[in-house]
Amino acid sequence: MGSHGGFYQSKEFLDLVKSIGECRSKAEEDRIVLNEIETLKRRISEPDIPKRKMKEYIIRLVYVEMLGHDASFGYIHAVKMTHDDNLLVKRTGYLAVTLFLNEDHDLIILIVNTIQKDLKSDNYLVVCAALNAVCRLINEETIPAVLPQVVELLGHSKEAVRKKAVMALHRFYQRSPSSVSHLVSNFRKKLCDNDPGVMGATLCPLFDLITIDVNSYKDLVSSFVSILKQVTERRLPKTYDYHQMPAPFIQVKLLKILALLGSGDKHASESMYTVVGDLFRKCDSSSNIGNAVLYECICCVSCIYPNPKLLEAATDVISRFLKSDSHNLKYMGIDALGRLIKTNPEIAEQHQLAVIDCLEDSDDTLKRKTFELLYKMTKSSNVEVIVDRMIDYMISINDNHFKTEIASRCVELAEQFAPSNQWFIQTMNKVFEHAGDRVNIKVAHNLMRLIAEGFGEDDDTADSQLRSSAVESYLHILSEPKLPSVFLQVICWVLGEYGTADGKFSASYITGKLCDIAEAYSNDETMKAYAVTALMKVYAFEMVAGRRVDMLPECQSLIEELLVSHSTDLQQRAYELQAVIGLDAHAVECIMPSDASCEDIEVDKGLSFLNTYVQESLAKGAQPYIPESERSGMLNVSSSQNQYHHEASTHGLRFEAYELPKPVVQSRIPPTALASSSELVPVPEPLYSRESQQVASVTSVSDAGSSELKLRLDGVQKKWGRPTYPSPITTTTSNTTTQNTTNGVTQVDNLKTRDTYDSRKTPVEVCSEKQKLAASLFGGTSKTEKRPSSGGHRISKTAYASKSSDDISSVKAALVQPPPVQPPPDLLDLGESTATSSAPPVVDPFKQLEGLLDSAQDNSAVNYGATAAAKGPDIMSLYAETAAGMETSGIAYSTPTNRDDLLSGLSNPSTRSVPGGTTVTQPVQFSKGPNPKDSLEKDAMVRQMGVNPSSQNPNLFKDLLG
Amino acid sequence: MGIRFVLMVNKQGQTRLAQYYEWLTLEERRALEGEIVRKCLARAEQQCSFVEHRNYKIVYRRYASLFFLVGVDNDENELAILEFIHLLVETMDRHFGNVCELDIMFHLEKAHFMLEEMVMNGCIVETSKSSILTPVQLMDKTS
């Protein structure tokens, strides 16, 4: 539309664009741009440059900055251009300024005046241009300069202006909420605007407002619901349709808002059920945009007060997503699963194999998303498998940002669900070893505390076993060349405290190791401090035990070195060590009692041990002690606060500083704090009473059951963890399948799903491995499901002791056991046939289009003598895939003849003579899309302009859409 | 604020259009573009159209030689953003007719104008093609 006539640009500009377009390397591009900068610097400040020319210069400046070079020399010219009368020139000026300057740039002040003027313009396009600039350039200080005009424009006759005025106000709200707090009601008004564009835009600020303060907007629930209803009933103008969906982007925004409003509000949620349910039915599940809206519906359903019907619909959509061949849909499915799992934990089990497929996919995005899901569904029965997997993944990646994230998640899960302390320590070792410098120091302190406190007070043998194993594992790890210092601190502390406790290792061995550490990390003072203190402990324990202390020569030299250290801390530690060694065994025992790190130190505040001395002194005629509170009459500089208050009230003047407000202390218990476990973690009820309770919530049964079986162990670990979500007691939503069906029926279900997957993944062995993994992850198959629910009674009646061991090693058991149900071969075949017919993969039309495009492109590459042979098979397989997809989905995008075309195109170069015109019939949606004739014309025109499609960049001329 | 930036980058990794909805310095932009383009271009056709990068999630889509990359917040609907990219391309296609990389290069400001109509403050504000294009085309006529 008129754009072909747009080649009015000068030869110079065309040459620039052409040369940039044909660059082969960043260096070449940089050279061109630097050259351009020189030219522009010279030209742009010449007098009397025509408008058109100036506009072109400014665009060239935009290019310069876009390609990563500084164009600040020309900013002022862009600012000047905003003053121009010509609309196009003015708007280009505004555009350039918004691209160049941030809102705090000095030049902005020169534009505010222009903006003010333009906001008053009669031409609504000028007003729009100015409002665009307002959104980008006005900062907190300049808001008052334009605010009245912007508010006035909310009532402008042109909808485009009203829309932009709303967004300008939204921007002010983002920048400085207080500046527009009195104007917030305008957003409510604009929601009822006649124009759907204005209404749609208003949803953006309302979303922000509702996020911050839900309760003030509860009254709008019915409005939003009715808007959404009207949208789905196609009451909006046709122009808002996108791929046969009525205003899908507005639907998405509305669903987001409804999710906020309905969260935790039964009443509000109930009014949404109908419209969301309609959406589930109406959405076109064969298009991307339909699926986008469906996904948003799931998000909404998972946020609002649960409704069984909607949850069922959501579950159906999720399973469709997960079964799809499109990675995008799988990704959305995994994400949706993670959202729904909060209200409906057992749905993950239905999709265990799909989840594991995603976990093992080579696509990193999908893998990471799946880890996120696993993180959300971790419980004590599957924590070992999940954390092991996470650690493996953590080791395999290089990205520090994600490494940190995964490390902290591993730690969190391990703290919360560790099945045994031994496992916890081993896991921590791994995390520290591979991401040590990225974990919080608190984690290290927790680990030390765990080792010190062990299982509990009455089980001393287990405690010492734990400690010995920790010591042993650390001595082993010390042979590694480089360890993170946080981890080494833990190691030093443990070696000092328990290194010689079980008598397995001699003091000289341990001290030797400690000296090695101090030497190897000699520029880390904290490290050295830990090492010296550990040394002192080892020596002290030796003396208490009555053994002679033989200080190794390297220890001696280390201490001598530290005695003259620059660090006073290290000096003091060294002197203390020397002093302790000089004492007798009894004194040392008092100073350094063994294994007393967790004992409370009692402080005798009353100094009662001095009583006899005081009595003696009094008897000798000393003055008795008068408590401070009774000394009010005396003039004392260090008088108590009471006195200050007293004096203040009498004199009326206060010279001392006001007291600092006292921080509220108790409310925030850090997750790692050693707080009373009963408050933080809901103590699971005894299994017996649970059973008689008719298993109200299936959700927490397996969890509660297993944690119960694990006795005190869990209680200990959970001290440091936070509970993830309060155990969802959702009596209404408790899934009927697991509850009512007998084990046999569920088994059949499992069988079915497995079959379909089996058929998809041909190697059966791989599959059984996956099943094992699935079983250990989800505890999923009927075997494990049985234990907490129906098998509970029996187990509880039989051996109590065997139970705990059984559960701790449940994962091992699951792995050792043959997968509960091995599909017989004939069933497999059956599965194969059903899979192809019953599960049509959702085909993403664009994906296909892209696929076709790509093959077309590769063809052209072939044309230019690129690697034809290497590409060939790929294209074929790619095509075969899409073709198969199309056939099953039943959408007639292409016919078998097309396949022939494309394939012959591959083998026969002559069909490739038309660039840009692919030989494939296009989907209906793009009927206006590619047109070979058009492309050829454009191609010819561009050639005329002197821009020749060179062999270097053949794709430059390919139309984007076809 | 959902959308943090919109980028158009060709197969060689050269930026063809860049619009940021939060301020980044020139150096930051350069580094960010380099990193994410490297990440996205390395991905295979059948892999997800989404990539996580630092705190962003990048939704990308390829049209012929040109990649459209949109950086969004973590809680954005990726699939909807993917379709938003397509809407942008369809809109440009309607305006330019068989839009190609060169159209965007020669009419950089027009491409920006369209984007300005569609996205403000990082939010999608307009999705009707006619509402997006009317001001752009009126401007063409008047000047």
Side-chain angles (χ1 to χ4, degrees):
Chain A
M1 292 206 181
S3 60
H4 290 305
F7 283 125
Y8 54 78
Q9 289 108 331
S10 70
K11 178 84 170 59
E12 231 177 24
F13 180 72
L14 294 174
D15 283 345
L16 173 71
V17 170
K18 180 189 158 201
S19 58
I20 290 173
E22 288 176 352
C23 279
R24 297 304 291 158
S25 67
K26 188 73 192 154
E28 197 183 335
E29 188 186 273
D30 284 346
R31 211 163 43 242
I32 294 167
V33 175
L34 288 174
N35 205 7
E36 176 69 12
I37 291 175
E38 287 314 307
T39 319
L40 284 174
K41 270 187 183 163
R42 230 175 24 247
R43 299 275 195 78
I44 207 164
S45 41
E46 282 171 8
D48 300 327
I49 301 172
K51 279 179 194 177
R52 272 278 152 79
K53 194 80 198 158
M54 196 61 189
K55 172 174 168 269
E56 191 187 297
Y57 286 154
I58 297 295
I59 301 279
R60 283 155 76 174
L61 279 178
V62 171
Y63 259 103
V64 167
E65 285 240 320
M66 186 173 80
L67 296 173
H69 297 264
D70 179 48
S72 53
F73 63 89
Y75 289 174
I76 186 69
H77 298 282
V79 171
K80 271 194 217 154
M81 219 165 80
T82 60
H83 303 324
D84 202 283
D85 299 328
N86 180 305
L87 176 60
L88 187 61
V89 175
K90 180 190 277 292
R91 186 152 180 196
T92 308
Y94 274 132
L95 171 71
V97 172
T98 60
L99 291 171
F100 292 150
L101 308 182
N102 75 349
E103 54 184 27
D104 297 322
H105 197 280
D106 294 339
L107 290 176
I108 296 288
I109 203 73
L110 299 177
I111 302 175
V112 174
N113 209 356
T114 320
I115 291 179
Q116 281 179 321
K117 208 174 94 234
D118 287 344
L119 288 176
K120 288 180 196 143
S121 167
D122 294 335
N123 184 343
Y124 87 95
L125 291 173
V126 172
V127 181
C128 284
L131 282 170
N132 275 336
V134 164
C135 286
R136 301 295 297 261
L137 301 174
I138 296 296
N139 66 9
E140 204 177 332
E141 283 167 36
T142 37
I143 286 175
V146 292
L147 186 58
Q149 279 166 306
V150 169
V151 173
E152 202 175 302
L153 290 172
L154 286 172
H156 198 273
S157 60
K158 278 285 180 187
E159 61 279 357
V161 175
R162 295 201 298 275
K163 179 173 69 193
K164 284 179 192 285
V166 167
M167 293 315 282
L169 214 54
H170 176 218
R171 179 62 172 183
F172 298 159
Y173 177 76
Q174 286 179 331
R175 279 281 152 268
S176 152
S178 60
S179 68
V180 291
S181 55
H182 57 295
L183 297 165
V184 163
S185 61
N186 281 300
F187 294 131
R188 284 165 170 273
K189 277 185 224 153
K190 286 292 128 190
L191 188 64
C192 313
D193 198 283
N194 289 327
D195 182 72
V198 181
M199 181 276 292
T202 313
L203 297 176
C204 303
L206 281 173
F207 177 79
D208 285 3
L209 287 164
I210 293 171
T211 309
I212 291 165
D213 177 17
V214 186
N215 290 325
S216 310
Y217 293 88
K218 292 280 186 189
D219 57 312
L220 287 181
V221 171
S222 57
S223 315
F224 289 125
V225 168
S226 89
I227 292 172
L228 183 57
K229 192 157 175 291
Q230 291 176 46
V231 172
T232 54
E233 285 168 356
R234 300 184 177 273
R235 301 276 186 82
L236 291 196
K238 263 271 181 230
T239 53
Y240 282 88
D241 282 12
Y242 174 81
H243 296 184
Q244 283 85 51
M245 283 280 289
F249 296 98
I250 291 178
Q251 289 189 33
V252 167
K253 199 85 198 175
L254 281 165
L255 282 166
K256 274 188 198 295
I257 291 175
L258 289 183
L260 289 176
L261 288 168
S263 166
D265 183 339
K266 192 176 177 192
H267 178 71
S269 301
E270 273 165 356
S271 58
M272 304 168 188
Y273 290 158
T274 327
V275 70
V276 178
D278 280 349
L279 266 178
F280 270 118
R281 253 172 282 123
K282 280 184 185 171
C283 275
D284 168 20
S285 58
S286 64
S287 71
N288 251 353
I289 192 66
N291 287 325
V293 176
L294 281 173
Y295 164 79
E296 206 58 57
C297 287
I298 300 174
C299 295
C300 182
V301 166
S302 70
C303 280
I304 63 178
Y305 191 86
N307 171 288
K309 265 192 184 166
L310 291 182
L311 284 173
E312 206 185 311
T315 315
D316 288 348
V317 174
I318 288 177
S319 56
R320 203 168 46 70
F321 281 2
L322 288 174
K323 281 175 192 153
S324 152
D325 282 336
S326 149
H327 270 68
N328 286 346
L329 285 187
K330 278 190 186 166
Y331 175 94
M332 302 310 272
I334 295 278
D335 184 273
L337 202 56
R339 288 169 188 271
L340 215 57
I341 215 166
K342 275 182 270 177
T343 41
N344 209 2
E346 52 298 350
I347 67 160
E349 284 169 20
Q350 300 164 24
H351 304 296
Q352 23 186 298
L353 288 170
V355 170
I356 286 170
D357 276 345
C358 293
L359 189 65
E360 286 174 354
D361 201 280
S362 59
D363 187 342
D364 206 46
T365 308
L366 198 53
K367 199 176 244 179
R368 194 166 291 156
K369 195 81 204 171
T370 315
F371 273 118
E372 215 176 290
L373 171 69
L374 292 186
Y375 166 74
K376 285 181 191 162
M377 52 177 257
T378 307
K379 48 195 176 194
S380 36
S381 60
N382 59 14
V383 65
E384 294 176 68
V385 189
I386 289 180
V387 171
D388 280 356
R389 286 246 158 190
M390 283 171 98
I391 290 175
D392 286 346
Y393 179 64
M394 182 187 83
I395 295 169
S396 74
I397 57 173
N398 296 319
D399 189 320
N400 282 335
H401 182 85
F402 295 119
K403 231 178 181 144
T404 314
E405 196 182 289
I406 293 173
S408 64
R409 283 187 167 176
C410 284
V411 170
E412 193 185 319
L413 291 178
E415 283 181 350
Q416 206 173 334
F417 298 110
S420 71
N421 286 350
Q422 198 129 359
W423 178 86
F424 180 75
I425 285 173
Q426 276 165 6
T427 307
M428 284 305 174
N429 286 354
K430 277 192 223 159
V431 173
F432 274 118
E433 226 183 306
H434 297 286
D437 291 328
R438 321 211 148 268
V439 295
N440 196 316
I441 186 76
K442 271 186 193 155
V443 176
H445 294 161
N446 283 344
L447 181 57
M448 294 184 222
R449 191 181 291 147
L450 177 83
I451 294 171
E453 293 197 330
F455 291 88
E457 273 144 48
D458 33 330
D459 196 353
D460 281 341
T461 44
D463 283 4
S464 51
Q465 269 172 14
L466 168 78
R467 290 166 191 158
S468 329
S469 72
V471 167
E472 228 167 298
S473 72
Y474 290 161
L475 286 172
H476 182 71
I477 283 169
L478 274 181
S479 53
E480 302 274 329
K482 171 95 182 122
L483 291 168
S485 86
V486 182
F487 191 28
L488 279 167
Q489 290 169 17
V490 176
I491 292 178
C492 281
W493 188 85
V494 172
L495 289 184
E497 200 71 35
Y498 304 110
T500 53
D502 61 353
K504 204 167 167 189
F505 301 102
S506 71
S508 63
Y509 180 71
I510 300 286
T511 49
K513 285 283 181 191
L514 288 169
C515 285
D516 288 348
I517 297 175
E519 218 168 283
Y521 300 86
S522 57
N523 29 12
D524 186 343
E525 285 188 359
T526 327
M527 235 7 281
K528 279 195 205 162
Y530 267 88
V532 175
T533 306
L535 278 178
M536 176 157 73
K537 283 182 197 162
V538 173
Y539 288 135
F541 299 155
E542 281 298 286
M543 291 166 74
V544 172
R547 288 187 282 266
R548 219 171 64 82
V549 171
D550 277 326
M551 207 185 261
L552 293 174
E554 61 253 46
C555 296
Q556 210 114 40
S557 61
L558 172 72
I559 288 159
E560 269 157 29
E561 178 205 320
L562 295 187
L563 283 173
V564 292
S565 166
H566 287 301
S567 154
T568 48
D569 176 54
L570 286 178
Q571 253 189 46
Q572 181 167 354
R573 282 171 201 259
Y575 274 110
E576 279 174 9
L577 171 58
Q578 264 193 337
V580 167
I581 287 175
L583 293 171
D584 66 282
H586 179 69
V588 171
E589 193 170 10
C590 295
I591 304 169
M592 278 283 157
S594 97
D595 190 22
S597 57
C598 296
E599 240 107 281
D600 290 330
I601 296 170
E602 274 180 45
V603 179
D604 185 359
K605 281 186 186 160
L607 307 179
S608 56
F609 54 89
L610 288 175
N611 279 352
T612 47
Y613 174 76
V614 172
Q615 294 303 330
E616 275 173 29
S617 303
L618 282 177
K620 283 179 192 161
Q623 289 270 329
Y625 173 75
I626 307 166
E628 268 188 301
S629 51
E630 290 164 30
R631 272 180 275 173
S632 55
M634 300 178 196
L635 274 171
N636 196 337
V637 189
S638 64
S639 46
S640 72
Q641 268 200 329
N642 301 354
Q643 271 179 300
Y644 268 116
H645 284 299
H646 179 67
E647 281 168 19
S649 59
T650 48
H651 293 115
L653 267 177
R654 283 184 68 172
F655 294 101
E656 74 278 9
Y658 287 100
E659 288 171 59
L660 286 169
K662 277 195 182 140
V664 187
V665 199
Q666 333 85 317
S667 60
R668 274 184 47 219
I669 301 163
T672 47
L674 184 65
S676 61
S677 60
S678 57
E679 276 171 30
L680 279 174
V681 183
V683 178
E685 292 168 55
L687 197 65
Y688 326 104
S689 63
R690 257 208 117 70
E691 289 310 314
S692 57
Q693 265 177 18
Q694 254 251 338
V695 198
S697 57
V698 188
T699 64
S700 53
V701 163
S702 60
D703 214 335
S706 47
S707 63
E708 153 71 5
L709 291 172
K710 227 158 285 127
L711 304 173
R712 308 160 307 219
L713 286 184
D714 258 22
V716 174
Q717 272 107 44
K718 285 187 177 175
K719 275 179 192 169
W720 296 290
R722 283 171 290 142
T724 30
Y725 349 92
S727 61
I729 313 288
T730 51
T731 33
T732 47
T733 61
S734 64
N735 195 319
T736 46
T737 50
T738 34
Q739 210 174 336
N740 297 340
T741 51
T742 63
N743 282 328
V745 176
T746 32
Q747 270 184 10
V748 170
D749 279 350
N750 281 335
L751 233 172
K752 264 187 199 159
T753 46
R754 198 168 298 124
D755 281 351
T756 39
Y757 284 106
D758 279 351
S759 57
R760 233 156 43 78
K761 299 270 157 190
T762 28
V764 186
E765 300 91 324
V766 177
C767 223
S768 71
E769 223 162 76
K770 269 185 197 161
Q771 279 170 23
K772 280 180 199 163
L773 179 58
S776 45
L777 275 181
F778 296 86
T781 52
S782 48
K783 264 258 153 59
T784 33
E785 258 169 38
K786 193 172 65 184
R787 196 192 322 121
S789 53
S790 62
H793 269 304
R794 201 189 37 213
I795 293 173
S796 63
K797 257 183 271 167
T798 55
Y800 207 91
S802 70
K803 233 189 305 169
S804 57
S805 64
D806 167 59
D807 207 88
I808 290 169
S809 56
S810 71
V811 180
K812 273 185 221 141
L815 284 168
V816 174
Q817 277 167 8
V821 199
Q822 267 298 7
D826 52 349
L827 258 175
L828 244 176
D829 290 344
L830 188 83
E832 197 143 23
S833 61
T834 48
T836 38
S837 62
S838 68
V842 180
V843 180
D844 173 3
F846 310 114
K847 201 86 195 173
Q848 282 185 4
L849 189 65
E850 282 160 28
L852 295 175
L853 259 178
D854 207 47
S855 46
Q857 237 165 264
D858 284 334
N859 282 349
S860 60
V862 173
N863 204 5
Y864 293 108
T867 55
K871 290 236 161 127
D874 273 349
I875 299 166
M876 287 178 73
S877 65
L878 189 115
Y879 183 72
E881 244 177 65
T882 44
M886 283 177 214
E887 271 165 23
T888 47
S889 66
I891 302 164
Y893 283 139
S894 73
T895 55
T897 46
N898 276 341
R899 188 186 336 179
D900 295 335
D901 279 348
L902 203 77
L903 284 177
S904 64
L906 182 74
S907 55
N908 177 7
S910 65
T911 47
R912 275 181 249 118
S913 53
V914 185
T918 56
T919 48
V920 186
T921 45
Q922 297 298 322
V924 201
Q925 285 151 345
F926 311 114
S927 50
K928 61 174 176 28
N931 175 350
K933 200 177 145 222
D934 240 23
S935 322
L936 276 179
E937 271 173 18
K938 192 184 283 185
D939 203 34
M941 165 126 59
V942 173
R943 277 170 208 272
Q944 269 178 359
M945 300 310 301
V947 188
N948 290 313
S950 69
S951 60
Q952 293 165 330
N953 199 355
N955 292 314
L956 210 57
F957 296 90
K958 204 141 275 163
D959 295 337
L960 294 180
L961 272 173
Chain B
M1 176 128 144
I3 298 177
R4 312 279 207 93
F5 57 80
V6 175
L7 287 178
M8 298 180 198
V9 179
N10 74 359
K11 238 171 40 171
Q12 284 81 29
Q14 299 163 314
T15 312
R16 290 293 170 250
L17 182 147
Q19 178 65 276
Y20 289 83
Y21 297 97
E22 62 189 343
W23 181 255
L24 294 180
T25 63
L26 208 57
E27 291 72 35
E28 287 167 337
R29 292 177 194 204
R30 222 179 152 149
L32 181 74
E33 283 170 31
E35 287 165 24
I36 61 173
V37 167
R38 220 172 303 132
K39 254 191 188 173
C40 292
L41 295 200
R43 290 173 65 80
E45 190 79 25
Q46 75 282 358
Q47 293 188 316
C48 287
S49 313
F50 322 125
V51 177
E52 282 179 50
H53 181 75
R54 296 197 214 160
N55 302 319
Y56 301 112
K57 199 169 285 166
I58 291 134
V59 179
Y60 69 95
R61 198 156 183 166
R62 180 178 171 173
Y63 293 89
S65 59
L66 206 57
F67 282 83
F68 286 67
L69 307 128
V70 178
V72 295
D73 284 337
N74 250 329
D75 47 359
E76 238 356 271
N77 182 334
E78 293 90 347
L79 220 46
I81 297 292
L82 198 64
E83 289 310 288
F84 167 75
I85 294 176
H86 194 73
L87 176 67
L88 174 61
V89 174
E90 280 186 356
T91 309
M92 290 198 297
D93 193 56
R94 182 182 284 191
H95 181 77
F96 292 115
N98 292 327
V99 65
C100 70
E101 189 180 331
L102 269 187
D103 286 320
I104 296 166
M105 291 181 77
F106 280 125
H107 304 280
L108 188 62
E109 77 279 15
K110 291 244 179 65
H112 266 294
F113 292 158
M114 285 176 228
L115 198 55
E116 273 184 346
E117 296 299 321
M118 295 174 80
V119 182
M120 291 177 88
N121 309 342
C123 303
I124 300 174
V125 289
E126 187 58 77
T127 53
S128 147
K129 281 181 209 124
S130 57
S131 303
I132 298 165
L133 290 178
T134 310
V136 180
Q137 285 162 358
L138 273 178
M139 211 156 48
D140 258 1
K141 270 181 209 156
T142 53
S143 42

